[in-house]
Amino acid sequence: MPELPEVEVVRSGLEQWAVGRRLDRVEVRHSRSIRRHEAGADDLARRLQGRLIEAAQRRGKYLWLVLDDEALVIHLGMSGQVLMMPPTAPDETHLRIRFTFDDSGPQMRFVDQRTFGGVQLDALTFDDTGSRVPVSVAHIALDPLDPRFELPTVNRALRRRRTEVKRALLDQTLVSGIGNIYADEALWRSRLHGRRLTSSLTRAEVNGLLTQAEEVMTSALAQGGTSFDSLYVNVNGQSGYFSRSLEAYGQEGEPCGRCGSLIVRESFMNRSSFFCPACQRAPRRRPGLRG
DNA sequence: GTTACGACCTGCGAGC
DNA sequence: TGCTCGCAGGTCGTAA
């Protein structure tokens, strides 16, 4: 599933293969992939024709191509891919949008099996941090790999929340880029159970957790991201290798790399959480808390 | 304002 | 062989 490292791999690929090129035709093959572009497919195609791609930028799991005073915002959702393919290459089964350039070079293809992802053309604005970002991304917090990310600020904000720590990690308005996989990995590395209440965590515990989140995503980025299947690939269609380094996520029944206890899976927020029951002690259930 | 939860969506594998 | 069902999970709208 594309989280920060996977999206950064795609952004890097677009910087290499799309920046500096001028868009020509845009073919929308599935309306759901542009559902956030309310003016529709024809409007998107018309407004993109002839536009020069000036830069490829990212915040958290959102990436965007800068087009003068606007941006083409791309979110990969759960299964989205951005592929650079020769015009003669056969269409992918789940090809949703085809972007053709005026140089007749490789096409940019948005491929998305589950259609949770999508693109939209959006105005650029300045957010609270003074950064120039698309309007639709302005509410997204800085991610741990952003040089302006301030650990003490996020630490305070996280401990002010009255919720469980994994829920807070997945809240993109608090800290962005972290999804289910890296949340579980950061919690395992920090020896924290995801159901611990944020208000019960010490400043040191939160600092450790955020630092581990940054480190695990940096490691994943160095290995090209995490891939379990063909659903995540870079712009050249190649998979990353970090899934071989996962300690918790997807490791149900496998021995913990620290203590040898068997990794457990439990349902949380309509998805799965993986943790070591010995290293990551669950908090005592309190009356009134569901789960 | 904050928090929790369901809906959206499609392919795959398990079970019958 | 073919059908049904559960599972995967990021984001947003809605309810409390």
Side-chain angles (χ1 to χ4, degrees), chain A residues 64-139:
Chain A
W64 62 90
L65 300 174
V66 177
L67 314 163
D68 192 15
D69 59 345
E70 290 185 306
L72 182 64
V73 182
I74 303 172
H75 197 289
L76 302 179
M78 284 183 53
S79 54
Q81 304 170 357
V82 181
L83 304 174
M84 302 302 297
M85 302 298 289
T88 54
D91 289 355
E92 293 73 15
T93 304
H94 301 105
L95 173 62
R96 307 304 188 191
I97 310 173
R98 185 200 319 275
F99 301 86
T100 307
F101 294 87
D102 70 354
D103 56 13
S104 304
Q107 299 176 343
M108 183 170 76
R109 299 182 180 180
F110 182 73
V111 177
D112 190 6
Q113 179 198 91
R114 297 176 195 169
T115 64
F116 277 63
V119 309
Q120 68 183 110
L121 186 59
D122 206 359
L124 287 166
T125 186
F126 288 94
D127 69 0
D128 294 342
T129 70
S131 306
R132 196 161 178 247
V133 297
V135 171
S136 57
V137 182
H139 68 291

Side-chain angles (χ1 to χ4, degrees), chain A residues 15-34:
Chain A
E15 189 163 66
Q16 182 179 354
W17 294 98
V19 170
R21 301 176 68 196
R22 200 172 288 278
L23 287 161
D24 184 18
R25 290 186 61 242
V26 177
E27 178 191 355
V28 177
R29 298 167 57 111
H30 196 301
S31 60
R32 187 172 148 80
S33 296
I34 59 155

Side-chain angles (χ1 to χ4, degrees), chain A residues 229-269:
Chain A
D229 49 36
S230 60
L231 284 185
Y232 165 67
V233 294
N234 65 15
V235 297
N236 299 313
Q238 298 161 329
S239 297
Y241 294 96
F242 192 69
S243 58
R244 301 172 189 177
S245 308
L246 294 174
E247 298 283 0
Y249 184 87
Q251 307 302 309
E252 182 182 18
E254 297 294 323
C256 168
R258 257 188 319 248
C259 72
S261 300
L262 299 184
I263 297 292
V264 169
R265 179 173 78 94
E266 74 171 23
S267 183
F268 180 73
M269 289 174 71

Side-chain angles (χ1 to χ4, degrees), chain A residues 177-216:
Chain A
I178 303 173
N180 203 39
I181 297 173
Y182 297 115
D184 278 359
E185 290 302 303
L187 287 164
W188 181 87
R189 289 179 174 216
S190 307
R191 300 173 186 251
L192 292 174
H193 194 283
R195 288 195 181 276
R196 283 277 303 275
L197 294 178
T198 49
S199 55
S200 78
L201 298 176
T202 66
R203 185 178 302 154
E205 283 176 323
V206 174
N207 275 347
L209 176 61
L210 293 171
T211 302
Q212 291 299 341
E214 179 197 346
E215 289 183 4
V216 71

Side-chain angles (χ1 to χ4, degrees), chain A residues 122-165:
Chain A
D122 206 359
L124 287 166
T125 186
F126 288 94
D127 69 0
D128 294 342
T129 70
S131 306
R132 196 161 178 247
V133 297
V135 171
S136 57
V137 182
H139 68 291
I140 298 296
L142 295 177
D143 61 66
L145 301 194
D146 192 308
R148 290 160 302 175
F149 182 82
E150 293 181 352
L151 194 58
T153 305
V154 179
N155 190 318
R156 278 193 299 276
L158 192 146
R159 284 184 296 120
R160 270 202 300 269
R161 290 289 172 98
R162 298 156 64 91
T163 188
E164 295 150 324
V165 61

Side-chain angles (χ1 to χ4, degrees), chain A residues 36-67:
Chain A
R36 301 199 196 294
H37 188 82
E38 294 177 0
D42 291 343
D43 178 83
L44 182 71
R46 181 178 55 78
R47 289 168 62 186
L48 285 177
Q49 187 169 30
R51 303 290 289 274
L52 178 70
I53 297 178
E54 299 173 1
Q57 300 180 341
R58 180 192 59 75
R59 174 176 292 183
K61 302 171 198 169
Y62 286 83
L63 68 91
W64 62 90
L65 300 174
V66 177
L67 314 163

